[in-house]
Amino acid sequence: MIPLFGPYALRPLQPGDTSDIFRAIDTQRPYLGLWLPFVALTLREEDTRAFVGSALADTANPVYTIRAGTLFAGLIGFKSADHVTRTIEIGYWLCEEYQHRGIVTAAVRALRHIAFGEFGMRRIEIRCATGNLPSNRIPLRLGMSLDRVEPHAEQLSSGQWVDLNVYVSDK
């Protein structure tokens, strides 16, 4: 466990997390699906089991559950690790009932420490849909810089293509 503050902590993803992750996605489809394209593709628990299996197999990009005590609150993890250029991306999502408490900000701060320290990365990126203001506030709050906007970079579940802000933090 990686303590954040109060009852909140990060725990490495485990195979047994499948049911909690699927339940969160399935019960919060309108909320999570607004900005997260994978929600529309996650129709059965088996879809989540496949994600968990592939995430656990990708040891270069660890994923963590965000915990509120013993309860599942969301996911955060690394993506696209490049050990040649020493860059890595952080992605995250949080259940609606845990929003606006600073949990993801603290979780990103913890993962930045891991990326720069343990992994020896020199650059971290976070991508957020330009219209997803709460998600954009997290890298800004942590002093990350807007590096660029990637036009029409992600297709949402609605079919709409959105631009992504790419924030960076250099060591």
Side-chain angles (χ1 to χ4, degrees), residues 8-167:
Y8 306 109
L10 303 180
R11 180 177 50 73
L13 182 66
Q14 300 174 359
D17 294 323
T18 298
S19 294
D20 286 340
I21 296 168
F22 179 73
R23 188 176 316 106
I25 293 169
D26 198 41
T27 60
Q28 297 189 25
R29 286 185 186 281
Y31 176 74
L32 294 173
L34 184 62
W35 296 110
L36 302 172
F38 68 83
V39 171
L41 305 173
T42 307
L43 303 176
R44 302 170 300 136
E45 192 166 321
E46 290 76 30
D47 300 325
T48 303
R49 191 176 335 282
F51 161 75
V52 170
S54 67
L56 291 172
D58 184 2
T59 56
N61 293 291
V63 175
Y64 301 84
T65 60
I66 302 171
R67 314 302 295 187
T70 60
L71 301 175
F72 174 83
L75 284 180
I76 188 167
F78 295 108
K79 305 169 33 172
S80 308
D82 184 331
H83 293 284
V84 174
T85 62
R86 295 181 23 227
T87 61
I88 199 163
E89 182 180 345
I90 295 174
Y92 46 80
W93 62 268
L94 192 67
C95 294
E96 186 173 20
E97 63 267 29
Y98 296 105
Q99 293 288 324
H100 310 295
R101 299 182 192 187
I103 300 166
V104 175
T105 301
V108 170
R109 189 177 291 119
L111 262 58
R112 280 180 25 173
H113 181 75
I114 291 168
F116 287 139
E118 292 176 37
F119 295 174
M121 294 294 170
R122 65 166 192 81
R123 182 179 178 97
I124 296 169
E125 296 185 347
I126 293 178
R127 288 173 167 73
C128 306
T130 56
N132 187 345
L133 300 180
S135 191
N136 278 268
R137 282 193 283 271
I138 292 163
L140 290 172
R141 192 176 298 124
L142 291 168
M144 297 178 74
S145 303
L146 178 61
D147 183 65
R148 65 189 180 280
V149 177
E150 295 180 348
H152 308 291
E154 185 170 62
Q155 187 176 25
L156 300 179
S157 301
S158 66
Q160 175 189 6
W161 285 91
V162 294
D163 300 344
L164 295 180
N165 286 331
V166 181
Y167 296 95

